[in-house]
Amino acid sequence: MVNFNFYNPARIIFGKDTEKELPVQIQKFGSKVLLHYGGGSIKKIGLYDKIVKILKDAGIPFVELGGVQPNPRLSLVYEGIQLCKKENVDFILAVGGGSTIDSAKAIAIGVPYDGDVWDFYDNKGEPKEILPVASVLTIPAAGSESSDGSVITNDTLNLKHSVGCELMIPKFTIMNPENTFSLPPYQTACGATDIMAHLMERYFTTVPNVDVSDRLIEATFRSMLYNVPKVLRNPNDYDARAEIMWAGTVAHNNLYQMGRIPDWGSHNIEHELSAIYDIAHGAGLAIVFPAWMKYVYKTDIKRFVQYAVRMFDVDLAFADDEEIALEGIRRLEAFSKSIGMPTRLADIGIGDDRIDEMAKKAVMYGPIGKFKPLYEEDVAAILRLAL
């Protein structure tokens, strides 16, 4: 286990009717709110009206900016920065999933910054100031509700980059599983895949003696294997929805990362895929992750054996490490298919014509991944394995 310093002050307010906590929490940090959200889903389920009424009844002034899309766009971030400056906003409330929260974080670091907020995503510095951010979570997936990161798509350059620092951890998050009941099956499955990918990015480490976090990751992963099919069968299963929602938070608040060096190669490859083709992040991860596994498993085959046995109960002759490792990968692909996820680029109509472009962009700042450092030719090979 390597040395670590863990800090995560995000307050999690979890359960039914927890939206009622909004006024007392907001008033700790700000006086005028930017209400930031995506498309029409929060209006269809009545959450928008509920939150607007809560804010008005509490006398909290607010302005609105909707229109966040999956793979949130830099152009909307610019619009939000200008709106906050014009209206003297001092607090941002994101209502939605990871895309909305990531967009809110980008606006929040952009308002006090004199330069272009893309500088932070373009590896040209770290934010030093931020407007306080909070969220009402409606899509368990990205974990942005308590993470220190944000991912934004530059819709001019077709680049999807991330930035992370402790300042970006939200002040609080309202998590009511009832707000996830209306999620379509595909979106539920995409979110679940993202959560499981966050667990696997941390699980595949070359750091020895990390048994405590290994066991935490394994338990959460197996809980996902159990609960995701349940909510796909019964979308209004509160208990299963609650388990998935909480799993999404603990998978990405960095607790499970402590003492380990995570990989993140698969995420970096997928960012290039969704930047160009605008596919759902979870769907991209369902394609990229097994291909990455097939490419790197020999780097530490014992870890892949442990993954296969502990995550998927693979029961083969222990003398054959390679077959156990490969069976674990096959079972991940089978699970993804069972919940409606693609596992090949061909499944979503993507060919090999832009693989070299994606590979080049993925390593524009240097090799990616820590389990096995990946260079341009490695990324291209992984994407070809995913065809």
Side-chain angles (χ1 to χ4, degrees):
M1 188 184 299
V2 297
N3 294 356
F4 65 87
N5 185 331
F6 177 67
Y7 173 76
N8 193 314
R11 181 181 296 277
I12 306 299
I13 305 168
F14 193 102
K16 298 178 181 179
D17 298 322
T18 44
E19 298 85 4
K20 294 176 182 177
E21 293 283 326
L22 279 170
V24 67
Q25 297 299 329
I26 290 172
Q27 288 163 353
K28 294 177 182 178
F29 304 104
S31 57
K32 188 170 185 179
V33 174
L34 173 66
L35 180 59
H36 196 36
Y37 53 91
S41 61
I42 67 167
K43 294 184 177 180
K44 290 177 182 177
I45 66 174
L47 182 59
Y48 170 85
D49 289 338
K50 180 188 291 187
I51 290 174
V52 165
K53 184 177 188 305
I54 287 170
L55 295 177
K56 287 182 176 178
D57 288 350
I60 298 174
F62 65 94
V63 294
E64 301 181 32
L65 179 63
V68 180
Q69 302 176 57
N71 305 310
R73 309 308 202 260
L74 181 62
S75 54
L76 188 67
V77 170
Y78 287 149
E79 187 178 336
I81 292 169
Q82 292 306 311
L83 179 60
C84 286
K85 289 180 176 180
K86 177 183 175 183
E87 296 289 341
N88 294 313
V89 164
D90 60 4
F91 184 88
I92 303 178
L93 179 64
V95 182
S99 294
T100 302
I101 303 169
D102 281 4
S103 181
K105 290 177 179 180
I107 295 168
I109 59 175
V111 171
Y113 181 56
D114 289 334
D116 184 344
V117 70
W118 184 250
D119 289 346
F120 300 127
Y121 294 85
D122 201 27
N123 211 29
K124 294 177 181 176
E126 184 175 295
K128 303 300 182 186
E129 296 180 78
I130 189 170
L131 295 186
V133 175
S135 71
V136 178
L137 185 66
T138 63
I139 305 172
S144 192
E145 65 274 6
S146 66
S147 80
D148 59 2
S150 164
V151 181
I152 294 294
T153 298
N154 186 319
D155 36 345
T156 300
L157 301 177
N158 284 334
L159 294 173
K160 185 176 178 182
H161 289 179
S162 63
V163 64
C165 69
E166 287 182 353
L167 286 175
M168 300 176 76
I169 299 173
K171 298 300 184 184
F172 68 87
T173 294
I174 302 293
M175 297 173 60
N176 180 352
E178 291 178 324
N179 292 329
T180 70
F181 286 180
S182 64
L183 286 174
Y186 187 76
Q187 197 168 21
T188 296
C190 283
T193 302
D194 195 6
I195 293 168
M196 295 169 77
H198 287 159
L199 294 167
M200 291 188 292
E201 293 283 18
R202 292 170 168 89
Y203 195 75
F204 290 105
T205 182
T206 56
V207 176
N209 304 313
V210 286
D211 189 57
V212 169
S213 49
D214 271 356
R215 302 288 184 172
L216 290 169
I217 293 168
E218 290 157 6
T220 307
F221 191 94
R222 289 177 69 96
S223 178
M224 292 295 293
L225 294 177
Y226 175 69
N227 283 292
V228 174
K230 287 184 71 176
V231 299
L232 292 176
R233 291 191 298 267
N234 178 12
N236 294 338
D237 185 332
Y238 178 90
D239 293 325
R241 289 281 190 188
E243 298 287 0
I244 292 170
M245 189 173 238
W246 184 230
T249 298
V250 296
H252 203 46
N253 70 356
N254 284 341
L255 176 62
Y256 291 3
Q257 188 166 303
M258 295 302 102
R260 344 173 42 101
I261 298 174
D263 183 65
W264 298 115
S266 297
H267 264 73
N268 279 293
I269 295 171
E270 196 291 321
H271 285 169
E272 303 310 324
L273 187 61
S274 53
I276 290 176
Y277 294 102
D278 199 24
I279 62 172
H281 180 51
L285 288 168
I287 294 167
V288 170
F289 228 110
W292 172 86
M293 291 170 136
K294 293 168 188 174
Y295 191 77
V296 308
Y297 74 92
K298 291 182 181 178
T299 302
D300 185 352
I301 199 165
K302 292 296 185 183
R303 176 139 293 265
F304 274 86
V305 168
Q306 179 176 300
Y307 168 82
V309 172
R310 291 187 180 175
M311 303 293 207
F312 287 105
D313 297 320
V314 174
D315 185 14
L316 298 174
F318 281 134
D320 195 346
D321 283 350
E322 184 163 14
E323 184 55 30
I324 293 171
L326 292 173
E327 178 62 17
I329 299 169
R330 286 192 288 267
R331 291 193 188 186
L332 174 64
E333 289 183 297
F335 178 79
S336 294
K337 290 177 182 178
S338 75
I339 63 172
M341 285 288 93
T343 58
R344 295 287 187 278
L345 290 171
D347 294 341
I348 52 175
I350 294 176
D352 64 356
D353 54 311
R354 300 187 74 172
I355 282 178
D356 291 337
E357 176 188 353
M358 289 187 282
K360 185 175 182 179
K361 286 181 175 179
V363 298
M364 64 186 300
Y365 300 124
I368 59 173
K370 298 295 185 181
F371 187 79
K372 175 181 171 62
L374 304 175
Y375 296 84
E376 184 176 338
E377 61 271 22
D378 300 305
V379 175
I382 290 168
L383 288 168
R384 289 192 169 90
L385 277 175
L387 285 170

